[in-house]
Structure formats: C-alpha cells, structure tokens
Amino acid sequence: MLNISKERIYEVVFEADTPAGKRFDLLLLLIIIMSVGVVVLETVPSLNKSYSSIFYTLEWIFTIIFTLEYLVRIYCVRKPKHYIFSFYGIIDLLSIIPTFFSLLFPGSQGLLVIRSIRLLRIFRILKLARYLGEANILLTALKASRIKVTVFIGAVSVIVLIVGALMYLIEGPQYGFVSIPMSAYWAIVTVTTVGFGDITPQTPLGQFLASLLMILGYGFIAVPTGIVSVELANAQQALSTQTCPTCMKQDHTLGAVYCKFCSAKLNS
C-alpha cells in the first residue's frame, strides 16, 4: 500500500473512466445506499426496538468507511483545502460527523439532541450525485436555460398577479377572495393545475376566467419543459468524468490535457 503513489490513488478515488475507478465508485455507491437505508429503517419504531444494536453497529461500520474515504481524498489531492471546502467535501464531512458527535452526548439528557443531529446522515444521499454521469449533462442544461426559465417565470408571475386582481374584483370576499394576495394564491394553484379546491369561483364570469387559466396552465407547463429539452439536447456532447486534482471541477472534454476552469494539468 505504501508503494502506491498519490496519482494512482487519485485515479482510483476520483476518476470514473478507469476500470479501477469504476469498481471503486460502484462499491462506494452500494455502501452509500445501504447506509441511507439503515438511517431510514432506524426511524421505524418497531424495527428500531428489535434491531437497535444491529443498526448501531452498522452505522459505526459505515462511518468508519466514509471517514477513511474522506481522509484518502484529502491525502491524494494536490490542494486539500479545495476539496475540504468544495460542495462534495462538505457533504462528505456532514455524512460522518453526526455519529462522532453523538459521543459527546452519552447521557440521557442529550438523546433528543443526538437524534436530531444524526438525521444529518441523510446527507449521504447527496454523495450519490457524484456517481451519476448523466447528472452533469442535466446540470449543464439547467444552467444554460436558467435565464429563459427565469424570464418565463417572471411573465407567469405577472399574469398570476393580474388574474388574481381580476378575480378579487369579480368574486370578492363573499366567495373567499378576500384580498389580492389570496386571489393570486388561487391563480397559482389553478395555473399549475393542482386545484386544491379551498377557494372556487362562483360567478359565471369568474368561472369563465378560471377555465381560461386552467387551459393556459397546460401551455405554461409545456414551455419550460421545451426550453430545458432544447438545452439538454445541446448539452449532449462527449464529456469525461475526469476531476481536476487542483480545483476539483469536472465536465472536461474527452482527451483534455488541462483543466478548462483553472488551467491546471489533468492527470493522464
């Protein structure tokens, strides 16, 4: 183990496009799913009563594994602080500290605190994003379409406010439209086709306006879907899963030698 270089360890731990990296990711993915499953099952009273000791033992096993993984990642990167303060570095830390923190509260008076803090272990599920290759493409598409979607949401907000004001004038407080904010709330529920039914128009004109808003709602749902779909198609380009050992960012093109974010040399 001592003869293994940092570059080799980095390749296994951070790179998913090598056989060793793929095996490491699949193994870690399985462990993450199992650990999250333990956290979920532990909250079931009947299971916790019967298998509390098993859950406790498994949790410590998972915590030790994730702690070793965290330390290895810090060891093999060029600049540890970039990983420590990165998104995944913080998530990795949050996934292990609750169990160690519980050691500080061994008394019964700290049980409620321990239970609430240990729920942070659910953050381990965010570690799954690192191993979903298609997630990078989806994230790229969402970033590219954010301006268009923001403008669309702004336009819908204006329409909702206008319709809410009209419904306030048409229906009035006697039918539950006691204010423009309350009427705008009804318009939002209607245009999103949720339809709680807690407020409904009673006048023919109000029902006609509500019908138009319902029909428009289907079109409003389709617009952002189309915007993201176009950007998703544009984002379908060959990207590697290689992580820059300096800035810890991904989404490099296949065959790239230098990081497109910080210009550091990538591991070959």
Side-chain angles (χ1 to χ4, degrees), residues 109-164:
Q109 70 279 6
L111 290 179
L112 292 178
V113 177
I114 295 172
R115 180 167 296 179
S116 61
I117 292 176
R118 290 183 68 186
L119 288 178
L120 287 175
R121 292 176 298 168
I122 205 69
F123 274 99
R124 285 176 185 164
I125 202 169
L126 294 180
K127 289 161 65 70
L128 292 172
R130 180 187 289 132
Y131 309 106
L132 300 177
E134 298 299 322
N136 291 330
I137 297 177
L138 179 60
L139 183 60
T140 301
L142 291 176
K143 287 181 179 179
S145 60
R146 66 183 184 277
I147 297 178
K148 297 177 183 177
V149 173
T150 301
V151 172
F152 171 77
I153 292 176
V156 173
S157 301
V158 172
I159 294 175
V160 163
L161 183 60
I162 293 175
V163 173

Side-chain angles (χ1 to χ4, degrees), residues 8-34 65-66 69 72-73 76 83 88 92 124 127-134 136 240-243 250:
R8 176 56 180 168
I9 298 176
Y10 178 89
E11 181 180 328
V12 173
V13 173
F14 281 98
E15 306 298 349
D17 51 359
T18 62
K22 289 179 181 179
R23 287 193 294 268
F24 176 84
D25 283 351
L26 288 175
L27 177 61
L28 198 56
L29 179 63
L30 178 62
I31 296 174
I32 292 171
I33 294 175
M34 292 172 59
I65 293 174
F66 290 131
E69 179 216 356
V72 168
R73 290 183 183 274
C76 68
Y83 165 72
Y88 288 120
D92 290 346
R124 285 176 185 164
K127 289 161 65 70
L128 292 172
R130 180 187 289 132
Y131 309 106
L132 300 177
E134 298 299 322
N136 291 330
S240 71
T241 58
Q242 198 168 23
T243 304
Q250 298 179 340

Side-chain angles (χ1 to χ4, degrees), residues 40-156:
V40 173
L41 294 177
E42 192 179 18
T43 61
V44 180
S46 59
L47 294 178
N48 189 39
K49 182 178 180 180
S50 302
Y51 305 105
S52 59
S53 59
I54 296 178
F55 288 147
Y56 182 80
T57 302
L58 289 174
E59 174 53 33
W60 272 108
I61 292 175
F62 291 136
T63 299
I64 292 173
I65 293 174
F66 290 131
T67 301
L68 292 175
E69 179 216 356
Y70 181 71
L71 295 176
V72 168
R73 290 183 183 274
I74 294 177
Y75 168 76
C76 68
V77 296
R78 295 174 184 171
K79 296 183 178 180
K81 69 176 182 179
H82 286 180
Y83 165 72
I84 294 174
F85 294 103
S86 67
F87 172 78
Y88 288 120
I90 294 174
I91 294 302
D92 290 346
L93 183 61
L94 285 176
S95 69
I96 60 177
I97 59 174
T99 305
F100 290 111
F101 196 80
S102 65
L103 295 175
L104 301 177
F105 297 91
S108 59
Q109 70 279 6
L111 290 179
L112 292 178
V113 177
I114 295 172
R115 180 167 296 179
S116 61
I117 292 176
R118 290 183 68 186
L119 288 178
L120 287 175
R121 292 176 298 168
I122 205 69
F123 274 99
R124 285 176 185 164
I125 202 169
L126 294 180
K127 289 161 65 70
L128 292 172
R130 180 187 289 132
Y131 309 106
L132 300 177
E134 298 299 322
N136 291 330
I137 297 177
L138 179 60
L139 183 60
T140 301
L142 291 176
K143 287 181 179 179
S145 60
R146 66 183 184 277
I147 297 178
K148 297 177 183 177
V149 173
T150 301
V151 172
F152 171 77
I153 292 176
V156 173

